[in-house]
Amino acid sequence: MGSDNRSATPQELDRIRAAIAEHKIERVLIGGSDIHGQFRAKFIPGWRFEREPDAPMHIADVLAIMDIEDAMMPKPAGYSGWWPTWDGGFDDFDATPDLSTFTPVPWIENGALVLCDYQDQNHQPMPAMPRNVLKSVIAKSTALGFEAKMATEYEFFLFRETFESAKAKGFRNLTPLGESVTMYGAERAHADLPITTAIEKACAGLGIPIEAIMAEGGPSQFELNLTPQEALRAADEGFLFKFAVKRVAEQLGYFATFMPKFGPGEFGSSLHVHQSLWRGDRNVFYDAAQVDGLSTLARQYIAGMRQTLREFTAVFAPFITSYKRFEEESAAGTQVAWAVGNRTTAIRAIRGSESATRVENRTPGSDANAYLVLAAMLAGGLWGIENELDPGEPYRGNAYADEALDRVPATLAEAVELFAQSEVANKFFGEEAVSYFAETRRWEVAQFNNAVTDWELARYIGTV
């Protein structure tokens, strides 16, 4: 373990040790999200974790410059911000366990996991790391007297393939679980119960309740809805949900992916986020006196999210393929507008009782990092409240057919520059976090620009 930075109470330590004994824990996976949303972690023996559950563990800071395929991203020329390098020796930072996240893991024999917060060796949060970014925005919400509650809805694809067999096919013409494509189809849902039930049980074992399961519009595509939670817990659950889906599929001989798009005209996979702000037991988005049930605060929050939608698109769509999902009439949240109940706009208010009144952002793809997505939405909404913004009247009709509406950026290259220059992102995320994330996205764009794709070969090799 690392340097001493203890904050757990004796009661919390007793709870952890009792759980280790009850579940006969022999190994603990300890780590957290990198900038891409990948789980970076170490296994340590159960006896070692039991001895000092709250002790930080050392992890080399090199993990912060690994790209999505584990290539090391060199420090950009002229970049003055935080960036681990060979010259710096790839020193350690502390992975400090958040013991509230400790849970047995159903698919790891006698195993458990715990999520961590990354800190420097002076015990200060590493401001660019995703979970710390969200915590900093939540702190701003708390200072304004609000508790943010959020719920995520994930869409993903499952194939009757292993990763190896899918790779051998070039990830084309993959075998779906069934031939039928039936959105909300009961027959498809019944046929797929073995895999969806296994996922549901695995998530329950992690303490993540699944609120709804449905077949989606693409072949072998599913949507699973998680329950509303405090914002940090909601992001933790979203992060672990993706990990669980992939591991359960792998154990059953299937291949699961959260890649948001496979081809033109096909359904994409989204990450819809429902959100509301609370003061005590009051949902401050709810106003029974209004026709649509939305309070002034809800409208200000909506206005802030709408006005920052384009500048936060790089967070909502962080990879090259993310932008393939943004087709016309794709239900992908491309139109910068808000409405009540209307799924053609990026932001959708949902009427209901006080507990059910909420706002949905439909722009993110399932490939996005849950911590940064929730941080961006909350930041935009709080900015709207702070500045008492007015969203105007809700949109009516088919927003896709309205050429007067702004759209989200069409490419990652465009989106990342809007994000880097965003006043709101720099204020709420912090300049270091914004600069770091922007450079990792510029790296992603550069890798794509340097690649020669199959499409280019097929189109040009014999014609130019």
Side-chain angles (χ1 to χ4, degrees):
M1 293 289 189
S3 55
D4 196 359
N5 182 27
R6 313 301 172 85
S7 60
T9 65
Q11 293 80 8
E12 194 168 25
L13 295 175
D14 288 344
R15 178 184 65 81
I16 295 298
R17 290 180 175 125
I20 290 172
E22 177 186 354
H23 297 281
K24 299 180 174 60
I25 299 300
E26 296 178 359
R27 57 194 62 84
V28 179
L29 189 64
I30 178 169
S33 173
D34 69 5
I35 197 66
H36 315 291
Q38 291 182 314
F39 200 166
R40 304 282 183 174
K42 290 181 179 180
F43 271 116
I44 64 171
W47 61 262
R48 187 181 179 197
F49 184 76
E50 181 179 13
R51 187 176 63 193
E52 298 179 295
D54 57 342
M57 182 184 67
H58 283 164
I59 292 183
D61 63 10
V62 68
L63 74 82
I65 62 161
M66 307 305 290
D67 78 1
I68 198 73
E69 288 190 311
D70 261 17
M72 293 173 63
M73 297 179 285
K75 186 174 182 178
Y79 181 73
S80 60
W82 173 77
W83 197 275
T85 64
W86 284 110
D87 290 341
F90 294 126
D91 202 354
D92 291 327
F93 47 51
D94 286 345
T96 302
D98 179 343
L99 295 183
S100 71
T101 67
F102 178 85
T103 178
V105 180
W107 62 87
I108 302 175
E109 184 177 2
N110 301 115
L113 67 77
V114 65
L115 297 178
C116 295
D117 291 315
Y118 295 115
Q119 300 176 330
D120 63 26
Q121 293 188 14
N122 293 318
H123 315 314
Q124 297 304 305
M126 303 295 293
M129 302 309 289
R131 197 170 191 263
N132 290 338
V133 172
L134 176 57
K135 290 177 75 173
S136 71
V137 179
I138 290 172
K140 293 178 174 67
S141 176
T142 302
L144 293 172
F146 302 124
E147 180 187 34
K149 293 186 179 180
M150 298 186 167
T152 55
E153 298 177 351
Y154 277 96
E155 296 167 351
F156 59 95
F157 291 95
L158 267 171
F159 296 101
R160 202 177 296 279
E161 306 272 359
T162 64
F163 179 82
E164 290 73 20
S165 69
K167 185 176 181 179
K169 292 181 175 182
F171 300 105
R172 295 290 186 186
N173 302 312
L174 302 182
T175 306
L177 296 190
E179 295 301 322
S180 61
V181 180
T182 53
M183 184 183 292
Y184 296 111
E187 291 185 9
R188 181 75 264 145
H190 274 72
D192 296 331
L193 268 176
I195 179 66
T196 56
T197 299
I199 291 171
E200 183 181 15
K201 287 181 177 179
C203 288
L206 296 175
I208 302 173
I210 302 299
E211 191 169 71
I213 301 172
M214 66 202 75
E216 258 295 347
S220 285
Q221 189 184 32
F222 299 87
E223 178 183 313
L224 272 68
N225 301 343
L226 281 59
T227 59
Q229 302 289 342
E230 177 275 324
L232 183 61
R233 177 63 189 175
D236 286 341
E237 290 190 357
F239 174 68
L240 291 175
F241 170 78
K242 292 175 71 172
F243 183 63
V245 168
K246 291 178 181 180
R247 299 289 75 75
V248 171
E250 183 179 55
Q251 288 197 341
L252 294 176
Y254 298 142
F255 170 51
T257 179
F258 289 84
M259 182 174 165
K261 194 76 168 180
F262 275 86
E266 297 180 2
F267 270 80
S269 288
S270 300
L271 163 57
H272 299 151
V273 181
H274 296 251
Q275 53 215 282
S276 56
L277 296 181
W278 293 69
R279 281 192 173 122
D281 59 359
R282 266 199 67 233
N283 179 358
V284 300
F285 279 8
Y286 178 72
D287 185 347
Q290 302 301 316
V291 174
D292 55 17
L294 296 174
S295 69
T296 298
L297 282 173
R299 291 172 180 275
Q300 292 170 349
Y301 189 97
I302 288 168
M305 269 210 302
R306 181 176 64 83
Q307 290 197 28
T308 57
L309 191 74
R310 283 174 49 80
E311 58 206 70
F312 277 124
T313 299
V315 170
F316 302 150
F319 301 107
I320 297 297
T321 52
S322 306
Y323 295 80
K324 309 294 185 181
R325 178 175 150 264
F326 290 156
E327 291 184 316
E328 295 294 334
E329 298 191 345
S330 61
T334 58
Q335 307 305 99
V336 184
W338 81 282
V340 178
N342 184 340
R343 285 183 168 86
T344 69
T345 59
I347 299 167
R348 171 177 173 251
I350 299 170
R351 295 170 292 190
S353 64
E354 180 173 358
S355 62
T357 296
R358 61 199 188 273
V359 176
E360 178 190 23
N361 189 319
R362 300 176 57 80
T363 302
S366 58
D367 54 341
N369 186 319
Y371 295 104
L372 297 179
V373 166
L374 271 57
M377 292 180 185
L378 184 56
L382 294 177
W383 181 72
I385 290 173
E386 287 181 339
N387 291 278
E388 299 181 350
L389 301 183
D390 181 358
E393 290 300 307
Y395 192 86
R396 291 176 175 81
N398 181 2
Y400 291 111
D402 191 339
E403 295 182 359
L405 290 176
D406 285 338
R407 295 184 84 256
V408 296
T411 66
L412 180 57
E414 178 188 359
V416 71
E417 299 312 320
L418 291 174
F419 175 75
Q421 298 161 20
S422 167
E423 173 189 349
V424 180
N426 278 281
K427 174 183 176 181
F428 281 86
F429 280 28
E431 292 181 4
E432 183 171 301
V434 169
S435 297
Y436 167 64
F437 180 79
E439 290 298 346
T440 66
R441 296 313 95 189
R442 290 180 180 125
W443 168 265
E444 196 72 14
V445 171
Q447 302 319 293
F448 177 70
N449 288 343
N450 291 335
V452 178
T453 66
D454 289 346
W455 182 90
E456 291 167 294
L457 287 172
R459 189 173 183 86
Y460 301 123
I461 197 167
T463 59
V464 297

